[in-house]
């Protein structure tokens, strides 16, 4: 009864080339037909145009379409940016949002602010995926949980910490 999830690069599918909509559609259809339940779809620049086709097909195939937003730092990435993009993802028809902090840049109190801000602009469940690279991921998860995040990604202890996620057991 465990759901299977895959990470999917939107119009790039699993590679680094842009593919036509019909190729993306067929790939999603075949993924779901072969047992994938949750499709975590991302674009490295958070360009929602590159995610629309995959979301549409995942919905049609009755899979869970989760948009993963790549978390990064910079002047453009204000709380208003994250609130706006969360609302646009909800309007697109996604089933949930994942904040994908692939570099471990999200620190505890910023996570608290981010989760509260995004929760104020969308009703979608929010999942947090961070890496232990900077050494603060467990504390980041704690503040995110206190702020109302719905799901956190962890790894079993032999695979945890370092550049992976915090340990599940902790």
């Amino acid at each position: 009864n465990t759901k299977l999830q895959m990470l999917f690069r939107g119009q790039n599918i699993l590679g680094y080339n842009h593919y036509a909509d019909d190729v993306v559609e067929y790939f999603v259809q075949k993924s779901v037909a072969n047992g994938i339940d949750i499709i975590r779809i991302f674009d490295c620049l958070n360009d929602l145009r590159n995610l629309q086709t995959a979301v549409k097909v995942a919905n049609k195939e009755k899979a869970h379409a989760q948009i993963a937003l790549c978390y990064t730092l910079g002047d453009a990435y204000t709380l208003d940016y994250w609130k706006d993009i969360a609302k646009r993802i909800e309007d697109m028809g996604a089933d949930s949002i994942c904040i994908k902090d692939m570099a471990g840049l999200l620190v505890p109190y910023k996570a608290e602010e981010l989760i509260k801000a995004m929760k104020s602009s969308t009703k979608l469940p929010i999942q947090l995926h961070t890496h232990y690279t900077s050494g603060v991921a467990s504390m980041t998860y704690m503040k995110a949980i206190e702020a109302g995040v719905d799901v956190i990604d962890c790894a079993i202890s032999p695979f945890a910490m370092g550049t992976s996620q915090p340990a599940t057991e902790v």
Side-chain angles (χ1 to χ4, degrees), residues 34-164:
N34 284 286
I36 297 298
D37 302 295
I38 303 166
I39 301 179
R40 181 178 282 180
I41 311 159
F42 82 100
D43 177 78
C44 63
L45 299 174
N46 294 334
D47 187 341
L48 299 184
R49 296 171 297 179
N50 290 326
L51 309 175
Q52 290 172 333
T53 300
V55 169
K56 184 178 80 177
V57 179
N59 288 338
K60 180 181 170 191
E61 297 297 318
K62 306 289 190 251
H64 181 102
Q66 182 181 77
I67 297 295
L69 292 172
C70 296
Y71 181 81
T72 191
L73 304 173
D75 294 339
Y77 302 101
T78 64
L79 290 178
D80 286 336
Y81 166 86
W82 297 111
K83 287 168 61 173
D84 176 63
I85 203 165
K87 183 64 178 145
R88 290 171 49 209
I89 289 167
E90 183 176 24
D91 293 344
M92 183 190 297
D95 297 301
S96 65
I97 297 171
C98 176
I99 300 163
K100 185 176 178 10
D101 178 26
M102 57 277 164
L105 299 173
L106 187 58
V107 293
Y109 287 99
K110 291 294 181 183
E112 180 181 38
E113 289 176 7
L114 178 61
I115 298 301
K116 285 181 179 179
M118 290 178 72
K119 286 284 195 175
S120 75
S121 68
T122 182
K123 291 181 175 27
L124 293 178
I126 298 176
Q127 186 161 346
L128 180 56
H129 175 96
T130 191
H131 292 250
Y132 224 97
T133 314
S134 62
V136 298
S138 292
M139 295 288 97
T140 297
Y141 276 174
M142 184 180 78
K143 293 309 287 181
I145 290 166
E146 289 173 358
V149 76
D150 297 285
V151 180
I152 55 173
D153 289 352
C154 298
I156 59 172
S157 57
F159 298 112
M161 313 301 268
T163 56
S164 186

Side-chain angles (χ1 to χ4, degrees), residues 9-20 23-24 43 50:
R9 290 188 172 113
Q11 288 300 128
N12 295 346
I13 303 178
L14 301 178
Y16 297 102
N17 294 319
H18 226 64
Y19 294 98
V23 177
V24 173
D43 177 78
N50 290 326

